[in-house]
Amino acid sequence: MSDFALALDIGGTKVAAGLIAPDGTVADRRVRPTAASPDPETVWRPVAELVSELRAVAGPARVIGVGVGSAGPIHLPDGSISPVNIPAWRRFPLLERLAELVPGVPVRLAGDGSCAAAGEHWRGAGQGADDLLAIVVSTGVGGGLIQGGRLVAGPTGNAGHIGHVVVDLDGVPCPCGGRGCVEAMSSGPSMVEWALKEGWRAPVPAPTGVELAAAAREGDPYASQAFRRAGHALAAGIVSTAAIGDLSRVVIGGGVAAAHDLLFPPLRAAITEHARLGFLQGLTVTTAALGGAAGLVGAAALVLVPEAYVGRGVASLA
């Protein structure tokens, strides 16, 4: 039998958990909806249930550590979190609570974007790229940075957060409290909200990016423009980040990125328009190879490959 890292990927709409083998293989993966409740313990309950289920599957002695990627902001050094898209959790002591559930092994926490970057760099579309930006475009827009072949999470653990790069000085309000951020234009909910305001007639009362993508493929002008607008905003954030970090590759995943046939053409056109400096000419943009497993694989890498992915910006309890 193999040892496993128990990995968690906590987002605004779902919580994923998995057992990850030392070679990065996902041996078991389970998903629960994120509880929509103002009560912190109600939100915590499905997380605890997933951890208990997977420990039972692996056998307690086979779990050598717990790695978790969470929507942010995360708070160091205590490992608490205050996800913008999980209002019930403000300074929720996630690392401490997980250590209580799985005692005696390392428990490590990083932002979900950082974990996506680690996962794609270790076992996905970022292999071989020493300077990489990974982006998750879903209910929010997160990101993570690899520089010199190592995860760079920054002193607060929030480096690479491209969703809050400002791309429109007079833009619409963002859930973070700012204005004109990439997330305010390129996340699934923001795209849907914009299309509805412009005149899109959704087929269901509470549409998501899935319905918006279907409408765009059918030629709806408002839905199509929502994807063009999102692509342009994302491109502006990417070029700015690449110019600062001298990046060679960008990997994009998440639910919205699954509609790459709609998002990538305007994205790539806008990157070509804005990335004019010579050192940006070789920048490549590709879809994530690990799909929905990138965050889990990256969270496991915090346990399985700490020499590359654990440093300043990753919270840890032994």
Side-chain angles (χ1 to χ4, degrees), residues 110-184:
D112 55 355
S114 291
C115 286
E120 289 291 340
H121 181 254
W122 182 35
R123 287 293 181 257
Q127 292 181 82
D130 283 342
D131 300 283
L132 163 78
L133 171 68
I135 305 174
V136 181
V137 187
S138 186
T139 54
V141 178
L145 283 170
I146 301 290
Q147 295 264 258
R150 293 181 58 85
L151 178 66
V152 177
T156 71
N158 295 289
H161 214 321
I162 188 175
H164 300 290
V165 171
V166 176
V167 293
D168 184 351
L169 296 179
D170 300 312
V172 297
C174 179
C176 74
R179 182 177 292 274
C181 300
V182 172
E183 183 168 309

Side-chain angles (χ1 to χ4, degrees), residues 70-305:
S70 174
I74 66 174
H75 307 290
L76 301 179
D78 66 344
S80 63
I81 62 171
S82 300
V84 172
N85 49 10
I86 307 179
W89 278 2
R90 291 295 172 264
R91 290 272 179 179
F92 185 79
L94 182 62
L95 203 65
E96 179 182 317
R97 298 292 293 272
L98 287 170
E100 292 170 357
L101 276 183
V102 192
V105 299
V107 182
R108 294 178 177 139
L109 165 71
D112 55 355
S114 291
C115 286
E120 289 291 340
H121 181 254
W122 182 35
R123 287 293 181 257
Q127 292 181 82
D130 283 342
D131 300 283
L132 163 78
L133 171 68
I135 305 174
V136 181
V137 187
S138 186
T139 54
V141 178
L145 283 170
I146 301 290
Q147 295 264 258
R150 293 181 58 85
L151 178 66
V152 177
T156 71
N158 295 289
H161 214 321
I162 188 175
H164 300 290
V165 171
V166 176
V167 293
D168 184 351
L169 296 179
D170 300 312
V172 297
C174 179
C176 74
R179 182 177 292 274
C181 300
V182 172
E183 183 168 309
M185 301 172 72
S186 301
S187 71
S190 70
M191 292 168 62
V192 168
E193 181 181 2
W194 182 87
L196 289 170
K197 286 182 178 178
E198 291 297 306
W200 175 45
R201 294 186 175 182
V204 294
T208 68
V210 173
E211 288 79 26
L212 188 70
R217 292 187 181 105
E218 292 170 0
D220 183 276
Y222 304 112
S224 298
Q225 182 59 22
F227 276 93
R228 286 193 291 271
R229 179 174 176 268
H232 289 166
L234 198 56
I238 286 171
V239 172
S240 297
T241 306
I244 291 170
D246 198 4
L247 305 177
S248 61
R249 192 176 306 176
V250 177
V251 178
I252 304 178
V256 174
H260 54 84
D261 56 317
L262 302 168
L263 185 66
F264 272 53
L267 169 69
R268 288 195 167 115
I271 286 176
T272 299
E273 177 184 352
H274 294 297
R276 310 298 290 183
L277 291 171
F279 75 94
L280 296 174
Q281 298 290 304
L283 181 67
T284 62
V285 180
T286 186
T287 55
L290 299 178
L296 283 179
V297 174
L302 303 178
V303 174
L304 299 170
V305 201

Side-chain angles (χ1 to χ4, degrees), residues 3-7 18-22 62-67 296 299-301 303-304:
D3 292 330
F4 297 104
L6 197 159
L19 294 173
I20 315 299
R62 312 310 301 183
V63 173
I64 61 173
V66 179
L296 283 179
V303 174
L304 299 170

